[in-house]
Amino acid sequence: MASVPHVTLNDGNQMPMIGLGTSRTFSSESIQAVKDAIDIGYRHFDCAFIYRNEKNIGVGLTAKIAEGVVKREDLYITSKVWNTYHRPGIVETALRNSLKDLGLDYVDLYLIHWPTGYKEEEASNEPPGPKVPNFSDYDYVDTWKAMEEIQKKGLAKSIGVSNFNKNQLERILEKAEILPVVNQIECHPYLNQNKLIKYCKSKNIQIVGYSPFASPGRFSSLPNYIKVFENPKIIEIANKYNKTPGQVILRWQIQRDVVVIPKSINKNRIKENFTIFDFHLSTEDISIIDGLNTNSRFVLLDGAKTHQFYPFYDEY
Ligand SMILES: NC(=O)C1=CN([C@@H]2O[C@H](COP(=O)(O)OP(=O)(O)OC[C@H]3O[C@@H](n4cnc5c(N)ncnc54)[C@H](OP(=O)(O)O)[C@@H]3O)[C@@H](O)[C@H]2O)C=CC1
Ligand SMILES: O=C1CO[C@H](CO)[C@@H](O)[C@@H]1O
């Protein structure tokens, strides 16, 4: 089976350029999606405590390791510390809980999921609904110091952040002993994130683009909103290469050095999303997709909009 391209992170570790997204997949469907993905060739899985399915993901991973299809060291597993676990003294416990559920003794990458901390008792209300949670005052820079400790202990091979803006990254970089390897951010043709990508590249921080299809299951109130798969310009490019709109969107990201983590529970689409390393988009087609940007964001973490560290008020 041909292996997928990897990127080398600023700590020297390697990450496969495509992974399976696992949010909003539940029960047996998440177990089967993981097994199918491994059979198809995926080795990278994007998980999080808050997805409430790490046990199922663990069942899928463990089954494929037991079958001898993969070894632990072939896999690249990410998890994320949720907002209720920002107190430095509890970060390791949060990771150990995820490890137990995933059936692993280390993750390849552990991320601070959002810069916004919540009070620990909010954990009983998870997953977050429309209600505004009680915020904690923990500074994500202090949470970062706890992340450094878990890497030193070998519980995470690499550490990084998610949903951080430029100023928030700057604050981490000022105090960091270990640099974040990744900023995982929403990134798709309608939110191409060119400015944040340029900044992160200048600091050797890899971008992992989440919701690469603009998370079509989520509600959009944008006037004249067209799903990315139905966008005529993307369809035209897809027809030209004899590929699907989804494959063109993922390929566009790969060619701009963005790691992609599309979510699917459908075996055919899991395979479709993986078949993106056998064609090359022209510079002209890349710029047509770049031109679709409308700075439209779909993952807003509404409950945290009044948090002092809400990341999306800055331009980038
Ligand atoms: N760090 C963060 O804060 C966040 C991280 N993430 C991560 O990113 C991952 C992906 O983002 P997500 O928001 O799930 O959305 P995506 O943009 O990946 O879209 C997923 C949706 O598209 C459908 N789909 C998948 N492939 C295709 C295809 N080839 N053609 C047509 N439809 C398709 C899926 O349906 P089906 O399953 O039926 O195929 C699903 O409804 C998440 O699962 C999670 O791991 C996401 C949000 C926030
Ligand atoms: O990763 C994520 C997936 O979706 C959640 C909401 O549904 C987000 O809060 C989160 O950032």
Side-chain angles (χ1 to χ4, degrees), residues 21-24 46 51 80 113-114 162-163 184 210-216 218 229 261-265 269 272-273 299:
T22 66
S23 80
R24 294 180 300 160
D46 183 70
Y51 302 161
K80 314 186 189 89
H113 205 145
W114 290 86
S162 175
N163 296 302
Q184 183 182 122
Y210 75 66
S211 301
F213 303 134
S215 210
R218 285 175 211 267
F229 304 116
I261 47 170
K263 173 261 168 185
S264 180
I265 49 162
R269 288 190 286 276
E272 175 187 328
N273 296 342
V299 181

PDB file of all heavy atoms in Angstrom, residues 21-24 46 51 80 113-114 162-163 184 210-216 218 229 261-265 269 272-273 299, ligand 1:
ATOM      1  N   GLY A  21     -11.086  12.709  10.495  1.00  0.00           N
ATOM      2  CA  GLY A  21     -11.779  13.479  11.535  1.00  0.00           C
ATOM      3  C   GLY A  21     -12.776  12.570  12.246  1.00  0.00           C
ATOM      4  O   GLY A  21     -13.361  11.673  11.618  1.00  0.00           O
ATOM      5  N   THR A  22     -12.951  12.774  13.540  1.00  0.00           N
ATOM      6  CA  THR A  22     -13.826  11.846  14.278  1.00  0.00           C
ATOM      7  C   THR A  22     -14.909  12.543  15.088  1.00  0.00           C
ATOM      8  O   THR A  22     -15.572  11.889  15.891  1.00  0.00           O
ATOM      9  CB  THR A  22     -13.007  10.945  15.232  1.00  0.00           C
ATOM     10  OG1 THR A  22     -12.420  11.761  16.256  1.00  0.00           O
ATOM     11  CG2 THR A  22     -11.910  10.185  14.495  1.00  0.00           C
ATOM     12  N   SER A  23     -15.116  13.851  14.883  1.00  0.00           N
ATOM     13  CA  SER A  23     -16.162  14.479  15.698  1.00  0.00           C
ATOM     14  C   SER A  23     -17.538  14.082  15.169  1.00  0.00           C
ATOM     15  O   SER A  23     -17.702  13.773  13.983  1.00  0.00           O
ATOM     16  CB  SER A  23     -16.012  16.006  15.743  1.00  0.00           C
ATOM     17  OG  SER A  23     -16.513  16.602  14.599  1.00  0.00           O
ATOM     18  N   ARG A  24     -18.504  14.066  16.060  1.00  0.00           N
ATOM     19  CA  ARG A  24     -19.884  13.729  15.731  1.00  0.00           C
ATOM     20  C   ARG A  24     -20.021  12.370  15.024  1.00  0.00           C
ATOM     21  O   ARG A  24     -20.788  12.201  14.086  1.00  0.00           O
ATOM     22  CB  ARG A  24     -20.525  14.864  14.926  1.00  0.00           C
ATOM     23  CG  ARG A  24     -20.650  16.122  15.775  1.00  0.00           C
ATOM     24  CD  ARG A  24     -21.264  17.263  15.042  1.00  0.00           C
ATOM     25  NE  ARG A  24     -20.475  17.610  13.883  1.00  0.00           N
ATOM     26  CZ  ARG A  24     -20.912  18.291  12.851  1.00  0.00           C
ATOM     27  NH1 ARG A  24     -22.161  18.698  12.822  1.00  0.00           N
ATOM     28  NH2 ARG A  24     -20.123  18.582  11.844  1.00  0.00           N
ATOM     29  N   ASP A  46      -7.807  12.075  14.082  1.00  0.00           N
ATOM     30  CA  ASP A  46      -7.952  13.301  14.870  1.00  0.00           C
ATOM     31  C   ASP A  46      -9.071  13.107  15.898  1.00  0.00           C
ATOM     32  O   ASP A  46     -10.248  13.065  15.538  1.00  0.00           O
ATOM     33  CB  ASP A  46      -8.281  14.485  13.954  1.00  0.00           C
ATOM     34  CG  ASP A  46      -8.360  15.757  14.778  1.00  0.00           C
ATOM     35  OD1 ASP A  46      -7.307  16.211  15.242  1.00  0.00           O
ATOM     36  OD2 ASP A  46      -9.481  16.259  15.017  1.00  0.00           O
ATOM     37  N   TYR A  51     -15.335  14.891  21.901  1.00  0.00           N
ATOM     38  CA  TYR A  51     -16.129  14.177  20.891  1.00  0.00           C
ATOM     39  C   TYR A  51     -16.873  12.998  21.516  1.00  0.00           C
ATOM     40  O   TYR A  51     -17.716  12.383  20.880  1.00  0.00           O
ATOM     41  CB  TYR A  51     -15.254  13.705  19.715  1.00  0.00           C
ATOM     42  CG  TYR A  51     -14.509  14.823  19.016  1.00  0.00           C
ATOM     43  CD1 TYR A  51     -13.404  14.579  18.216  1.00  0.00           C
ATOM     44  CD2 TYR A  51     -14.909  16.160  19.158  1.00  0.00           C
ATOM     45  CE1 TYR A  51     -12.718  15.610  17.590  1.00  0.00           C
ATOM     46  CE2 TYR A  51     -14.221  17.196  18.536  1.00  0.00           C
ATOM     47  CZ  TYR A  51     -13.128  16.908  17.763  1.00  0.00           C
ATOM     48  OH  TYR A  51     -12.440  17.925  17.148  1.00  0.00           O
ATOM     49  N   LYS A  80      -7.139  16.082  22.337  1.00  0.00           N
ATOM     50  CA  LYS A  80      -7.143  17.509  22.711  1.00  0.00           C
ATOM     51  C   LYS A  80      -7.701  17.687  24.113  1.00  0.00           C
ATOM     52  O   LYS A  80      -8.683  17.008  24.482  1.00  0.00           O
ATOM     53  CB  LYS A  80      -8.026  18.308  21.738  1.00  0.00           C
ATOM     54  CG  LYS A  80      -7.801  17.988  20.271  1.00  0.00           C
ATOM     55  CD  LYS A  80      -8.579  18.875  19.329  1.00  0.00           C
ATOM     56  CE  LYS A  80      -8.495  18.375  17.891  1.00  0.00           C
ATOM     57  NZ  LYS A  80      -9.531  17.400  17.520  1.00  0.00           N
ATOM     58  N   HIS A 113      -7.418  22.476  23.001  1.00  0.00           N
ATOM     59  CA  HIS A 113      -8.497  22.513  22.004  1.00  0.00           C
ATOM     60  C   HIS A 113      -8.921  23.954  21.652  1.00  0.00           C
ATOM     61  O   HIS A 113      -9.174  24.282  20.493  1.00  0.00           O
ATOM     62  CB  HIS A 113      -9.693  21.714  22.545  1.00  0.00           C
ATOM     63  CG  HIS A 113     -10.602  21.167  21.493  1.00  0.00           C
ATOM     64  ND1 HIS A 113     -11.240  19.963  21.611  1.00  0.00           N
ATOM     65  CD2 HIS A 113     -10.993  21.665  20.295  1.00  0.00           C
ATOM     66  CE1 HIS A 113     -11.981  19.747  20.535  1.00  0.00           C
ATOM     67  NE2 HIS A 113     -11.840  20.780  19.724  1.00  0.00           N
ATOM     68  N   TRP A 114      -9.039  24.777  22.695  1.00  0.00           N
ATOM     69  CA  TRP A 114      -9.391  26.205  22.522  1.00  0.00           C
ATOM     70  C   TRP A 114      -8.612  27.000  23.561  1.00  0.00           C
ATOM     71  O   TRP A 114      -8.301  26.458  24.641  1.00  0.00           O
ATOM     72  CB  TRP A 114     -10.893  26.425  22.771  1.00  0.00           C
ATOM     73  CG  TRP A 114     -11.809  25.858  21.730  1.00  0.00           C
ATOM     74  CD1 TRP A 114     -12.288  24.586  21.675  1.00  0.00           C
ATOM     75  CD2 TRP A 114     -12.342  26.541  20.587  1.00  0.00           C
ATOM     76  NE1 TRP A 114     -13.097  24.431  20.561  1.00  0.00           N
ATOM     77  CE2 TRP A 114     -13.139  25.623  19.879  1.00  0.00           C
ATOM     78  CE3 TRP A 114     -12.226  27.837  20.085  1.00  0.00           C
ATOM     79  CZ2 TRP A 114     -13.820  25.951  18.711  1.00  0.00           C
ATOM     80  CZ3 TRP A 114     -12.910  28.175  18.920  1.00  0.00           C
ATOM     81  CH2 TRP A 114     -13.700  27.240  18.238  1.00  0.00           C
ATOM     82  N   SER A 162      -4.969  24.588  19.168  1.00  0.00           N
ATOM     83  CA  SER A 162      -6.043  24.614  18.173  1.00  0.00           C
ATOM     84  C   SER A 162      -6.873  25.869  18.422  1.00  0.00           C
ATOM     85  O   SER A 162      -7.095  26.253  19.578  1.00  0.00           O
ATOM     86  CB  SER A 162      -6.911  23.358  18.337  1.00  0.00           C
ATOM     87  OG  SER A 162      -8.025  23.391  17.480  1.00  0.00           O
ATOM     88  N   ASN A 163      -7.315  26.496  17.364  1.00  0.00           N
ATOM     89  CA  ASN A 163      -8.166  27.698  17.457  1.00  0.00           C
ATOM     90  C   ASN A 163      -7.457  28.863  18.149  1.00  0.00           C
ATOM     91  O   ASN A 163      -8.097  29.650  18.848  1.00  0.00           O
ATOM     92  CB  ASN A 163      -9.469  27.368  18.197  1.00  0.00           C
ATOM     93  CG  ASN A 163     -10.324  26.360  17.460  1.00  0.00           C
ATOM     94  OD1 ASN A 163     -10.714  26.590  16.322  1.00  0.00           O
ATOM     95  ND2 ASN A 163     -10.594  25.205  18.086  1.00  0.00           N
ATOM     96  N   GLN A 184      -4.202  23.868  14.950  1.00  0.00           N
ATOM     97  CA  GLN A 184      -5.293  23.233  14.177  1.00  0.00           C
ATOM     98  C   GLN A 184      -6.441  24.247  14.089  1.00  0.00           C
ATOM     99  O   GLN A 184      -6.992  24.663  15.112  1.00  0.00           O
ATOM    100  CB  GLN A 184      -5.767  21.948  14.864  1.00  0.00           C
ATOM    101  CG  GLN A 184      -6.847  21.268  14.024  1.00  0.00           C
ATOM    102  CD  GLN A 184      -7.428  19.997  14.647  1.00  0.00           C
ATOM    103  OE1 GLN A 184      -8.635  19.904  14.868  1.00  0.00           O
ATOM    104  NE2 GLN A 184      -6.593  19.017  14.906  1.00  0.00           N
ATOM    105  N   TYR A 210      -9.042  22.016   9.899  1.00  0.00           N
ATOM    106  CA  TYR A 210     -10.237  21.229  10.238  1.00  0.00           C
ATOM    107  C   TYR A 210     -11.444  21.715   9.448  1.00  0.00           C
ATOM    108  O   TYR A 210     -11.416  22.797   8.866  1.00  0.00           O
ATOM    109  CB  TYR A 210     -10.465  21.179  11.744  1.00  0.00           C
ATOM    110  CG  TYR A 210     -11.010  22.389  12.485  1.00  0.00           C
ATOM    111  CD1 TYR A 210     -12.312  22.873  12.272  1.00  0.00           C
ATOM    112  CD2 TYR A 210     -10.253  23.005  13.467  1.00  0.00           C
ATOM    113  CE1 TYR A 210     -12.819  23.934  13.004  1.00  0.00           C
ATOM    114  CE2 TYR A 210     -10.756  24.080  14.212  1.00  0.00           C
ATOM    115  CZ  TYR A 210     -12.045  24.540  13.969  1.00  0.00           C
ATOM    116  OH  TYR A 210     -12.557  25.596  14.697  1.00  0.00           O
ATOM    117  N   SER A 211     -12.483  20.894   9.446  1.00  0.00           N
ATOM    118  CA  SER A 211     -13.688  21.157   8.638  1.00  0.00           C
ATOM    119  C   SER A 211     -13.305  21.527   7.195  1.00  0.00           C
ATOM    120  O   SER A 211     -13.715  22.568   6.672  1.00  0.00           O
ATOM    121  CB  SER A 211     -14.539  22.261   9.266  1.00  0.00           C
ATOM    122  OG  SER A 211     -14.934  21.912  10.573  1.00  0.00           O
ATOM    123  N   PRO A 212     -12.530  20.651   6.521  1.00  0.00           N
ATOM    124  CA  PRO A 212     -12.050  21.006   5.178  1.00  0.00           C
ATOM    125  C   PRO A 212     -13.187  21.184   4.174  1.00  0.00           C
ATOM    126  O   PRO A 212     -12.995  21.836   3.146  1.00  0.00           O
ATOM    127  CB  PRO A 212     -11.160  19.827   4.796  1.00  0.00           C
ATOM    128  CG  PRO A 212     -11.594  18.698   5.680  1.00  0.00           C
ATOM    129  CD  PRO A 212     -12.024  19.328   6.963  1.00  0.00           C
ATOM    130  N   PHE A 213     -14.364  20.611   4.484  1.00  0.00           N
ATOM    131  CA  PHE A 213     -15.512  20.795   3.586  1.00  0.00           C
ATOM    132  C   PHE A 213     -16.478  21.838   4.153  1.00  0.00           C
ATOM    133  O   PHE A 213     -17.680  21.812   3.848  1.00  0.00           O
ATOM    134  CB  PHE A 213     -16.245  19.460   3.375  1.00  0.00           C
ATOM    135  CG  PHE A 213     -15.347  18.374   2.832  1.00  0.00           C
ATOM    136  CD1 PHE A 213     -15.356  17.098   3.381  1.00  0.00           C
ATOM    137  CD2 PHE A 213     -14.503  18.623   1.760  1.00  0.00           C
ATOM    138  CE1 PHE A 213     -14.529  16.092   2.887  1.00  0.00           C
ATOM    139  CE2 PHE A 213     -13.667  17.632   1.261  1.00  0.00           C
ATOM    140  CZ  PHE A 213     -13.682  16.364   1.831  1.00  0.00           C
ATOM    141  N   ALA A 214     -15.961  22.694   5.033  1.00  0.00           N
ATOM    142  CA  ALA A 214     -16.791  23.730   5.669  1.00  0.00           C
ATOM    143  C   ALA A 214     -17.917  23.079   6.460  1.00  0.00           C
ATOM    144  O   ALA A 214     -19.002  23.654   6.604  1.00  0.00           O
ATOM    145  CB  ALA A 214     -17.324  24.725   4.647  1.00  0.00           C
ATOM    146  N   SER A 215     -17.632  21.875   6.973  1.00  0.00           N
ATOM    147  CA  SER A 215     -18.538  21.195   7.891  1.00  0.00           C
ATOM    148  C   SER A 215     -19.999  21.272   7.437  1.00  0.00           C
ATOM    149  O   SER A 215     -20.839  21.876   8.087  1.00  0.00           O
ATOM    150  CB  SER A 215     -18.372  21.814   9.292  1.00  0.00           C
ATOM    151  OG  SER A 215     -18.629  20.860  10.272  1.00  0.00           O
ATOM    152  N   PRO A 216     -20.317  20.623   6.293  1.00  0.00           N
ATOM    153  CA  PRO A 216     -21.640  20.810   5.672  1.00  0.00           C
ATOM    154  C   PRO A 216     -22.826  20.426   6.561  1.00  0.00           C
ATOM    155  O   PRO A 216     -23.940  20.885   6.325  1.00  0.00           O
ATOM    156  CB  PRO A 216     -21.579  19.922   4.426  1.00  0.00           C
ATOM    157  CG  PRO A 216     -20.440  18.978   4.660  1.00  0.00           C
ATOM    158  CD  PRO A 216     -19.472  19.691   5.533  1.00  0.00           C
ATOM    159  N   ARG A 218     -23.235  21.412   9.535  1.00  0.00           N
ATOM    160  CA  ARG A 218     -23.561  22.511  10.456  1.00  0.00           C
ATOM    161  C   ARG A 218     -24.459  23.527   9.782  1.00  0.00           C
ATOM    162  O   ARG A 218     -24.431  23.712   8.574  1.00  0.00           O
ATOM    163  CB  ARG A 218     -22.281  23.227  10.930  1.00  0.00           C
ATOM    164  CG  ARG A 218     -21.517  22.442  11.951  1.00  0.00           C
ATOM    165  CD  ARG A 218     -20.221  23.144  12.286  1.00  0.00           C
ATOM    166  NE  ARG A 218     -19.215  22.168  12.628  1.00  0.00           N
ATOM    167  CZ  ARG A 218     -18.942  21.750  13.864  1.00  0.00           C
ATOM    168  NH1 ARG A 218     -19.558  22.271  14.883  1.00  0.00           N
ATOM    169  NH2 ARG A 218     -18.034  20.826  14.075  1.00  0.00           N
ATOM    170  N   PHE A 229     -19.382  21.388  -2.003  1.00  0.00           N
ATOM    171  CA  PHE A 229     -19.494  20.326  -3.013  1.00  0.00           C
ATOM    172  C   PHE A 229     -20.348  20.766  -4.212  1.00  0.00           C
ATOM    173  O   PHE A 229     -20.307  20.173  -5.260  1.00  0.00           O
ATOM    174  CB  PHE A 229     -20.137  19.068  -2.415  1.00  0.00           C
ATOM    175  CG  PHE A 229     -19.421  18.529  -1.212  1.00  0.00           C
ATOM    176  CD1 PHE A 229     -20.039  18.497   0.030  1.00  0.00           C
ATOM    177  CD2 PHE A 229     -18.137  18.044  -1.332  1.00  0.00           C
ATOM    178  CE1 PHE A 229     -19.385  17.993   1.132  1.00  0.00           C
ATOM    179  CE2 PHE A 229     -17.468  17.531  -0.229  1.00  0.00           C
ATOM    180  CZ  PHE A 229     -18.087  17.513   1.022  1.00  0.00           C
ATOM    181  N   ILE A 261      -7.985  16.830   7.708  1.00  0.00           N
ATOM    182  CA  ILE A 261      -8.586  15.796   8.568  1.00  0.00           C
ATOM    183  C   ILE A 261     -10.090  15.683   8.276  1.00  0.00           C
ATOM    184  O   ILE A 261     -10.922  15.894   9.164  1.00  0.00           O
ATOM    185  CB  ILE A 261      -8.325  16.094  10.067  1.00  0.00           C
ATOM    186  CG1 ILE A 261      -8.612  17.566  10.432  1.00  0.00           C
ATOM    187  CG2 ILE A 261      -6.896  15.753  10.428  1.00  0.00           C
ATOM    188  CD1 ILE A 261      -8.595  17.835  11.938  1.00  0.00           C
ATOM    189  N   PRO A 262     -10.454  15.335   7.008  1.00  0.00           N
ATOM    190  CA  PRO A 262     -11.873  15.221   6.683  1.00  0.00           C
ATOM    191  C   PRO A 262     -12.551  14.137   7.516  1.00  0.00           C
ATOM    192  O   PRO A 262     -11.963  13.089   7.763  1.00  0.00           O
ATOM    193  CB  PRO A 262     -11.862  14.834   5.202  1.00  0.00           C
ATOM    194  CG  PRO A 262     -10.538  14.142   5.000  1.00  0.00           C
ATOM    195  CD  PRO A 262      -9.583  14.872   5.912  1.00  0.00           C
ATOM    196  N   LYS A 263     -13.776  14.425   7.911  1.00  0.00           N
ATOM    197  CA  LYS A 263     -14.559  13.436   8.663  1.00  0.00           C
ATOM    198  C   LYS A 263     -15.517  12.728   7.710  1.00  0.00           C
ATOM    199  O   LYS A 263     -16.196  13.365   6.899  1.00  0.00           O
ATOM    200  CB  LYS A 263     -15.359  14.144   9.766  1.00  0.00           C
ATOM    201  CG  LYS A 263     -16.341  13.239  10.504  1.00  0.00           C
ATOM    202  CD  LYS A 263     -17.764  13.395   9.974  1.00  0.00           C
ATOM    203  CE  LYS A 263     -18.693  12.311  10.484  1.00  0.00           C
ATOM    204  NZ  LYS A 263     -20.041  12.394   9.874  1.00  0.00           N
ATOM    205  N   SER A 264     -15.555  11.392   7.813  1.00  0.00           N
ATOM    206  CA  SER A 264     -16.621  10.645   7.143  1.00  0.00           C
ATOM    207  C   SER A 264     -16.821   9.328   7.874  1.00  0.00           C
ATOM    208  O   SER A 264     -15.881   8.766   8.419  1.00  0.00           O
ATOM    209  CB  SER A 264     -16.287  10.374   5.673  1.00  0.00           C
ATOM    210  OG  SER A 264     -17.370   9.651   5.088  1.00  0.00           O
ATOM    211  N   ILE A 265     -18.067   8.861   7.858  1.00  0.00           N
ATOM    212  CA  ILE A 265     -18.338   7.532   8.405  1.00  0.00           C
ATOM    213  C   ILE A 265     -18.734   6.575   7.284  1.00  0.00           C
ATOM    214  O   ILE A 265     -19.114   5.452   7.535  1.00  0.00           O
ATOM    215  CB  ILE A 265     -19.465   7.576   9.460  1.00  0.00           C
ATOM    216  CG1 ILE A 265     -20.671   8.347   8.932  1.00  0.00           C
ATOM    217  CG2 ILE A 265     -18.975   8.132  10.773  1.00  0.00           C
ATOM    218  CD1 ILE A 265     -21.935   8.087   9.702  1.00  0.00           C
ATOM    219  N   ARG A 269     -16.784   7.253   0.921  1.00  0.00           N
ATOM    220  CA  ARG A 269     -16.263   8.631   1.016  1.00  0.00           C
ATOM    221  C   ARG A 269     -14.929   8.668   1.770  1.00  0.00           C
ATOM    222  O   ARG A 269     -14.069   9.486   1.465  1.00  0.00           O
ATOM    223  CB  ARG A 269     -17.298   9.556   1.671  1.00  0.00           C
ATOM    224  CG  ARG A 269     -18.474   9.845   0.737  1.00  0.00           C
ATOM    225  CD  ARG A 269     -19.376  10.931   1.251  1.00  0.00           C
ATOM    226  NE  ARG A 269     -20.218  10.517   2.355  1.00  0.00           N
ATOM    227  CZ  ARG A 269     -21.390   9.894   2.234  1.00  0.00           C
ATOM    228  NH1 ARG A 269     -21.869   9.623   1.030  1.00  0.00           N
ATOM    229  NH2 ARG A 269     -22.092   9.551   3.292  1.00  0.00           N
ATOM    230  N   GLU A 272     -12.658   7.828  -0.962  1.00  0.00           N
ATOM    231  CA  GLU A 272     -12.598   8.953  -1.916  1.00  0.00           C
ATOM    232  C   GLU A 272     -11.667  10.052  -1.373  1.00  0.00           C
ATOM    233  O   GLU A 272     -10.805  10.571  -2.089  1.00  0.00           O
ATOM    234  CB  GLU A 272     -14.025   9.497  -2.096  1.00  0.00           C
ATOM    235  CG  GLU A 272     -14.119  10.732  -2.961  1.00  0.00           C
ATOM    236  CD  GLU A 272     -15.545  11.309  -2.960  1.00  0.00           C
ATOM    237  OE1 GLU A 272     -16.535  10.552  -2.844  1.00  0.00           O
ATOM    238  OE2 GLU A 272     -15.653  12.546  -3.061  1.00  0.00           O
ATOM    239  N   ASN A 273     -11.833  10.368  -0.094  1.00  0.00           N
ATOM    240  CA  ASN A 273     -11.055  11.464   0.496  1.00  0.00           C
ATOM    241  C   ASN A 273      -9.568  11.141   0.589  1.00  0.00           C
ATOM    242  O   ASN A 273      -8.736  12.033   0.676  1.00  0.00           O
ATOM    243  CB  ASN A 273     -11.600  11.814   1.889  1.00  0.00           C
ATOM    244  CG  ASN A 273     -13.014  12.353   1.829  1.00  0.00           C
ATOM    245  OD1 ASN A 273     -13.475  12.786   0.772  1.00  0.00           O
ATOM    246  ND2 ASN A 273     -13.725  12.326   2.953  1.00  0.00           N
ATOM    247  N   VAL A 299     -17.419  27.151  12.673  1.00  0.00           N
ATOM    248  CA  VAL A 299     -17.230  26.601  14.027  1.00  0.00           C
ATOM    249  C   VAL A 299     -16.906  27.782  14.942  1.00  0.00           C
ATOM    250  O   VAL A 299     -15.790  28.320  14.918  1.00  0.00           O
ATOM    251  CB  VAL A 299     -16.103  25.540  14.041  1.00  0.00           C
ATOM    252  CG1 VAL A 299     -15.935  24.963  15.441  1.00  0.00           C
ATOM    253  CG2 VAL A 299     -16.429  24.417  13.058  1.00  0.00           C
TER     254      VAL A 299
HETATM  255  N1  LIG B   1     -10.149  21.682  16.626  1.00  0.00           N
HETATM  256  C1  LIG B   1     -11.417  21.983  16.503  1.00  0.00           C
HETATM  257  O1  LIG B   1     -11.956  22.854  17.202  1.00  0.00           O
HETATM  258  C2  LIG B   1     -12.231  21.260  15.500  1.00  0.00           C
HETATM  259  C3  LIG B   1     -11.748  20.105  14.919  1.00  0.00           C
HETATM  260  N2  LIG B   1     -12.500  19.412  13.999  1.00  0.00           N
HETATM  261  C4  LIG B   1     -11.922  18.179  13.437  1.00  0.00           C
HETATM  262  O2  LIG B   1     -12.005  18.232  12.018  1.00  0.00           O
HETATM  263  C5  LIG B   1     -12.735  17.110  11.539  1.00  0.00           C
HETATM  264  C6  LIG B   1     -13.469  17.433  10.239  1.00  0.00           C
HETATM  265  O3  LIG B   1     -14.346  18.534  10.392  1.00  0.00           O
HETATM  266  P1  LIG B   1     -15.938  18.389  10.404  1.00  0.00           P
HETATM  267  O4  LIG B   1     -16.458  19.599  11.073  1.00  0.00           O
HETATM  268  O5  LIG B   1     -16.286  17.067  10.933  1.00  0.00           O
HETATM  269  O6  LIG B   1     -16.398  18.546   8.909  1.00  0.00           O
HETATM  270  P2  LIG B   1     -15.890  18.226   7.414  1.00  0.00           P
HETATM  271  O7  LIG B   1     -15.654  19.532   6.751  1.00  0.00           O
HETATM  272  O8  LIG B   1     -14.817  17.212   7.427  1.00  0.00           O
HETATM  273  O9  LIG B   1     -17.207  17.615   6.771  1.00  0.00           O
HETATM  274  C7  LIG B   1     -17.741  16.411   7.214  1.00  0.00           C
HETATM  275  C8  LIG B   1     -19.090  16.196   6.538  1.00  0.00           C
HETATM  276  O10 LIG B   1     -18.908  16.045   5.123  1.00  0.00           O
HETATM  277  C9  LIG B   1     -19.419  14.763   4.704  1.00  0.00           C
HETATM  278  N3  LIG B   1     -18.429  14.250   3.747  1.00  0.00           N
HETATM  279  C10 LIG B   1     -17.208  13.739   4.030  1.00  0.00           C
HETATM  280  N4  LIG B   1     -16.556  13.438   2.903  1.00  0.00           N
HETATM  281  C11 LIG B   1     -17.378  13.753   1.870  1.00  0.00           C
HETATM  282  C12 LIG B   1     -17.258  13.663   0.472  1.00  0.00           C
HETATM  283  N5  LIG B   1     -16.149  13.219  -0.119  1.00  0.00           N
HETATM  284  N6  LIG B   1     -18.323  14.059  -0.288  1.00  0.00           N
HETATM  285  C13 LIG B   1     -19.449  14.513   0.290  1.00  0.00           C
HETATM  286  N7  LIG B   1     -19.627  14.633   1.640  1.00  0.00           N
HETATM  287  C14 LIG B   1     -18.590  14.259   2.413  1.00  0.00           C
HETATM  288  C15 LIG B   1     -19.533  13.934   5.957  1.00  0.00           C
HETATM  289  O11 LIG B   1     -20.616  13.037   5.867  1.00  0.00           O
HETATM  290  P3  LIG B   1     -20.395  11.424   5.973  1.00  0.00           P
HETATM  291  O12 LIG B   1     -19.778  11.163   7.307  1.00  0.00           O
HETATM  292  O13 LIG B   1     -21.782  10.879   5.849  1.00  0.00           O
HETATM  293  O14 LIG B   1     -19.506  11.042   4.831  1.00  0.00           O
HETATM  294  C16 LIG B   1     -19.826  14.990   7.028  1.00  0.00           C
HETATM  295  O15 LIG B   1     -21.188  15.318   7.062  1.00  0.00           O
HETATM  296  C17 LIG B   1     -13.646  16.777  12.722  1.00  0.00           C
HETATM  297  O16 LIG B   1     -14.234  15.500  12.597  1.00  0.00           O
HETATM  298  C18 LIG B   1     -12.687  16.930  13.869  1.00  0.00           C
HETATM  299  O17 LIG B   1     -11.857  15.801  13.952  1.00  0.00           O
HETATM  300  C19 LIG B   1     -13.717  19.908  13.579  1.00  0.00           C
HETATM  301  C20 LIG B   1     -14.259  21.035  14.147  1.00  0.00           C
HETATM  302  C21 LIG B   1     -13.561  21.793  15.163  1.00  0.00           C
END
